[in-house]
Amino acid sequence: MDGESSSPKYDTARRTSPLAFFRGFLREPAQVGSVIPSSRFLEKRIVDAADLSSARLVVELGPGTGGTTRTFLRNLGPDARLLSIELSPWFHELLHEIDDPRFINHQGSAEDLEEILAQHQLGQPDVVISGIPFSKMPEQVGTRVAQAVQASLAEGGCFVAYQFLGDVARITTPVMGPAVSTALELLNIPPMRVYRWLKPGPAESVGANT
């Protein structure tokens, strides 16, 4: 029964309206990789790749209308934090509808990840998740985003990106090395690849230099 649950309940159950998502695509086509929201199958694959249940600080780049954001919050612990960074003022405004004290809604560029974390007095995230379509941004911008992720992640942290095309791997691999896993989710329109990179911890870094 709900009254017996020890976990706090927040406004994370609502799913993104396909119409709202499509309107967002028409308003901000360069910021959206699809014309419909992510499927629950893709969302589960992202959650599993990011191991959200054990994460304490998560950053979402390009949350859009907030469908994935709500899913991530449902899978985070009660003491975790989720920072979203959204470039579009329209999407940023929609994200204000999410009522959860663990959630921080920031309008800005993923390139400025380090400065944004400092602004909110947050440490290094365990996980960074990106839905930003790297294929729609200039390559130099994508490289700066990948560099910001690499610099900001905690040692042993992971970067998870879900993308329709493979530009994210071409851009991120020179910065973070090869992805440790890649999975294709066919039960999504369009099908999406979920990439996962790891930032080496102290032991791996020492071993790499010997």
Side-chain angles (χ1 to χ4, degrees), residues 50 54-59 124-128 153-159:
S54 63
R56 298 301 301 275
L57 176 59
V58 178
V59 175
Q124 293 180 297
D126 309 298
V127 180
V128 176
L153 267 176
E155 292 179 339
C158 71
F159 175 44

Side-chain angles (χ1 to χ4, degrees), residues 46 50 52 57-61 72 83 85 110 113 117 124-131 145 148-150 152-154 157-161 176 195-197:
I46 297 167
L52 288 185
L57 176 59
V58 178
V59 175
E60 182 182 16
L61 307 178
F72 300 158
L83 167 69
I85 301 176
L113 176 55
L117 287 165
Q124 293 180 297
D126 309 298
V127 180
V128 176
I129 302 173
S130 178
V145 171
V149 170
Q150 166 71 4
S152 300
L153 267 176
C158 71
F159 175 44
V160 175
M176 298 189 68
Y195 299 87
R196 184 172 186 261
W197 283 269

